[in-house]
mmCIF file of all heavy atoms in Angstrom:
data_model
loop_
_atom_site.group_PDB
_atom_site.id
_atom_site.type_symbol
_atom_site.label_atom_id
_atom_site.label_comp_id
_atom_site.label_asym_id
_atom_site.label_seq_id
_atom_site.Cartn_x
_atom_site.Cartn_y
_atom_site.Cartn_z
ATOM 1 N N GLY R 20 -169.544 26.061 -115.126
ATOM 2 C CA GLY R 20 -169.064 26.661 -116.351
ATOM 3 C C GLY R 20 -170.082 27.599 -116.987
ATOM 4 O O GLY R 20 -169.731 28.627 -117.543
ATOM 5 N N ILE R 21 -171.370 27.230 -116.844
ATOM 6 C CA ILE R 21 -172.385 28.091 -117.416
ATOM 7 C C ILE R 21 -172.491 29.405 -116.638
ATOM 8 O O ILE R 21 -172.634 30.476 -117.191
ATOM 9 C CB ILE R 21 -173.782 27.377 -117.363
ATOM 10 C CG1 ILE R 21 -173.743 26.132 -118.337
ATOM 11 C CG2 ILE R 21 -174.912 28.286 -117.698
ATOM 12 C CD1 ILE R 21 -174.954 25.257 -118.204
ATOM 13 N N PHE R 22 -172.441 29.319 -115.277
ATOM 14 C CA PHE R 22 -172.659 30.483 -114.473
ATOM 15 C C PHE R 22 -171.383 31.329 -114.176
ATOM 16 O O PHE R 22 -171.461 32.427 -113.683
ATOM 17 C CB PHE R 22 -173.244 30.075 -113.110
ATOM 18 C CG PHE R 22 -174.683 29.617 -113.244
ATOM 19 C CD1 PHE R 22 -175.014 28.264 -113.037
ATOM 20 C CD2 PHE R 22 -175.659 30.484 -113.553
ATOM 21 C CE1 PHE R 22 -176.311 27.848 -113.158
ATOM 22 C CE2 PHE R 22 -176.982 30.051 -113.649
ATOM 23 C CZ PHE R 22 -177.287 28.707 -113.487
ATOM 24 N N ARG R 23 -170.229 30.771 -114.549
ATOM 25 C CA ARG R 23 -168.972 31.480 -114.236
ATOM 26 C C ARG R 23 -168.917 32.911 -114.831
ATOM 27 O O ARG R 23 -168.563 33.857 -114.187
ATOM 28 C CB ARG R 23 -167.769 30.654 -114.692
ATOM 29 C CG ARG R 23 -166.451 31.291 -114.268
ATOM 30 C CD ARG R 23 -165.245 30.406 -114.607
ATOM 31 N NE ARG R 23 -165.291 29.169 -113.789
ATOM 32 C CZ ARG R 23 -165.436 27.985 -114.254
ATOM 33 N NH1 ARG R 23 -165.665 27.809 -115.596
ATOM 34 N NH2 ARG R 23 -165.479 26.916 -113.465
ATOM 35 N N PRO R 24 -169.305 33.053 -116.142
ATOM 36 C CA PRO R 24 -169.261 34.417 -116.693
ATOM 37 C C PRO R 24 -170.211 35.386 -115.982
ATOM 38 O O PRO R 24 -169.877 36.558 -115.800
ATOM 39 C CB PRO R 24 -169.716 34.192 -118.140
ATOM 40 C CG PRO R 24 -169.415 32.771 -118.415
ATOM 41 C CD PRO R 24 -169.650 32.071 -117.149
ATOM 42 N N ILE R 25 -171.364 34.845 -115.512
ATOM 43 C CA ILE R 25 -172.276 35.721 -114.814
ATOM 44 C C ILE R 25 -171.706 36.132 -113.472
ATOM 45 O O ILE R 25 -171.807 37.282 -113.039
ATOM 46 C CB ILE R 25 -173.630 34.964 -114.604
ATOM 47 C CG1 ILE R 25 -174.234 34.627 -115.980
ATOM 48 C CG2 ILE R 25 -174.582 35.821 -113.771
ATOM 49 C CD1 ILE R 25 -175.511 33.792 -115.889
ATOM 50 N N LEU R 26 -171.057 35.179 -112.762
ATOM 51 C CA LEU R 26 -170.468 35.485 -111.442
ATOM 52 C C LEU R 26 -169.337 36.480 -111.640
ATOM 53 O O LEU R 26 -169.205 37.398 -110.789
ATOM 54 C CB LEU R 26 -169.954 34.202 -110.837
ATOM 55 C CG LEU R 26 -171.012 33.166 -110.377
ATOM 56 C CD1 LEU R 26 -170.343 31.870 -109.937
ATOM 57 C CD2 LEU R 26 -171.800 33.741 -109.179
ATOM 58 N N GLN R 27 -168.563 36.320 -112.669
ATOM 59 C CA GLN R 27 -167.471 37.276 -112.888
ATOM 60 C C GLN R 27 -168.016 38.682 -113.187
ATOM 61 O O GLN R 27 -167.508 39.684 -112.738
ATOM 62 C CB GLN R 27 -166.603 36.781 -114.075
ATOM 63 C CG GLN R 27 -165.773 35.549 -113.776
ATOM 64 C CD GLN R 27 -165.080 34.976 -115.014
ATOM 65 O OE1 GLN R 27 -165.395 35.374 -116.124
ATOM 66 N NE2 GLN R 27 -164.108 34.132 -114.760
ATOM 67 N N TRP R 28 -169.101 38.721 -113.973
ATOM 68 C CA TRP R 28 -169.773 40.028 -114.271
ATOM 69 C C TRP R 28 -170.233 40.728 -113.018
ATOM 70 O O TRP R 28 -170.065 41.894 -112.818
ATOM 71 C CB TRP R 28 -170.917 39.796 -115.274
ATOM 72 C CG TRP R 28 -171.629 41.049 -115.685
ATOM 73 C CD1 TRP R 28 -171.255 41.870 -116.702
ATOM 74 C CD2 TRP R 28 -172.750 41.607 -115.048
ATOM 75 N NE1 TRP R 28 -172.180 42.893 -116.795
ATOM 76 C CE2 TRP R 28 -173.090 42.786 -115.785
ATOM 77 C CE3 TRP R 28 -173.603 41.229 -113.938
ATOM 78 C CZ2 TRP R 28 -174.155 43.576 -115.483
ATOM 79 C CZ3 TRP R 28 -174.612 42.078 -113.651
ATOM 80 C CH2 TRP R 28 -174.908 43.215 -114.377
ATOM 81 N N LEU R 29 -170.901 39.875 -112.108
ATOM 82 C CA LEU R 29 -171.375 40.444 -110.874
ATOM 83 C C LEU R 29 -170.233 40.945 -110.002
ATOM 84 O O LEU R 29 -170.401 42.022 -109.342
ATOM 85 C CB LEU R 29 -172.193 39.391 -110.108
ATOM 86 C CG LEU R 29 -173.546 38.996 -110.706
ATOM 87 C CD1 LEU R 29 -174.153 37.808 -110.001
ATOM 88 C CD2 LEU R 29 -174.507 40.185 -110.645
ATOM 89 N N ARG R 30 -169.144 40.231 -109.935
ATOM 90 C CA ARG R 30 -168.016 40.726 -109.119
ATOM 91 C C ARG R 30 -167.465 42.017 -109.645
ATOM 92 O O ARG R 30 -167.161 42.939 -108.894
ATOM 93 C CB ARG R 30 -166.899 39.651 -109.129
ATOM 94 C CG ARG R 30 -167.249 38.326 -108.370
ATOM 95 C CD ARG R 30 -166.010 37.447 -108.181
ATOM 96 N NE ARG R 30 -166.353 36.140 -107.731
ATOM 97 C CZ ARG R 30 -166.447 35.040 -108.489
ATOM 98 N NH1 ARG R 30 -166.145 35.163 -109.788
ATOM 99 N NH2 ARG R 30 -166.759 33.890 -107.976
ATOM 100 N N ARG R 31 -167.338 42.111 -110.956
ATOM 101 C CA ARG R 31 -166.850 43.380 -111.514
ATOM 102 C C ARG R 31 -167.822 44.527 -111.296
ATOM 103 O O ARG R 31 -167.389 45.634 -111.011
ATOM 104 C CB ARG R 31 -166.605 43.200 -113.022
ATOM 105 C CG ARG R 31 -165.406 42.341 -113.401
ATOM 106 C CD ARG R 31 -165.012 42.561 -114.838
ATOM 107 N NE ARG R 31 -166.027 42.154 -115.745
ATOM 108 C CZ ARG R 31 -166.155 40.925 -116.261
ATOM 109 N NH1 ARG R 31 -165.266 39.969 -115.934
ATOM 110 N NH2 ARG R 31 -167.104 40.639 -117.134
ATOM 111 N N SER R 32 -169.095 44.229 -111.355
ATOM 112 C CA SER R 32 -170.123 45.270 -111.126
ATOM 113 C C SER R 32 -170.062 45.765 -109.718
ATOM 114 O O SER R 32 -170.175 46.942 -109.386
ATOM 115 C CB SER R 32 -171.563 44.706 -111.442
ATOM 116 O OG SER R 32 -171.625 44.341 -112.774
ATOM 117 N N THR R 33 -169.880 44.828 -108.750
ATOM 118 C CA THR R 33 -169.840 45.183 -107.340
ATOM 119 C C THR R 33 -168.612 46.042 -107.086
ATOM 120 O O THR R 33 -168.647 46.998 -106.301
ATOM 121 C CB THR R 33 -169.743 43.914 -106.481
ATOM 122 O OG1 THR R 33 -170.880 43.114 -106.754
ATOM 123 C CG2 THR R 33 -169.763 44.259 -104.981
ATOM 124 N N ARG R 34 -167.497 45.761 -107.773
ATOM 125 C CA ARG R 34 -166.275 46.544 -107.562
ATOM 126 C C ARG R 34 -166.315 47.851 -108.329
ATOM 127 O O ARG R 34 -165.491 48.737 -108.194
ATOM 128 C CB ARG R 34 -165.047 45.720 -108.001
ATOM 129 C CG ARG R 34 -164.737 44.607 -107.066
ATOM 130 C CD ARG R 34 -163.300 44.088 -107.405
ATOM 131 N NE ARG R 34 -163.191 43.624 -108.754
ATOM 132 C CZ ARG R 34 -163.353 42.348 -109.114
ATOM 133 N NH1 ARG R 34 -163.674 41.429 -108.198
ATOM 134 N NH2 ARG R 34 -163.214 41.971 -110.347
ATOM 135 N N GLY R 35 -167.337 47.994 -109.235
ATOM 136 C CA GLY R 35 -167.438 49.250 -110.041
ATOM 137 C C GLY R 35 -166.505 49.177 -111.240
ATOM 138 O O GLY R 35 -166.084 50.207 -111.785
ATOM 139 N N GLY R 36 -166.104 47.954 -111.655
ATOM 140 C CA GLY R 36 -165.213 47.847 -112.763
ATOM 141 C C GLY R 36 -165.863 48.224 -114.092
ATOM 142 O O GLY R 36 -167.079 48.157 -114.237
ATOM 143 N N SER R 37 -165.041 48.591 -115.042
ATOM 144 C CA SER R 37 -165.590 49.049 -116.327
ATOM 145 C C SER R 37 -166.183 47.915 -117.126
ATOM 146 O O SER R 37 -167.112 48.129 -117.922
ATOM 147 C CB SER R 37 -164.495 49.739 -117.117
ATOM 148 O OG SER R 37 -163.410 48.810 -117.367
ATOM 149 N N GLY R 38 -165.706 46.681 -116.848
ATOM 150 C CA GLY R 38 -166.227 45.552 -117.661
ATOM 151 C C GLY R 38 -167.647 45.278 -117.387
ATOM 152 O O GLY R 38 -168.388 44.907 -118.220
#
Side-chain angles (χ1 to χ4, degrees):
I21 293 172
F22 289 110
R23 185 174 294 113
I25 299 175
L26 292 171
Q27 291 173 344
W28 182 88
L29 288 172
R30 291 192 191 102
R31 287 196 299 267
S32 297
T33 303
R34 290 194 299 266
S37 59

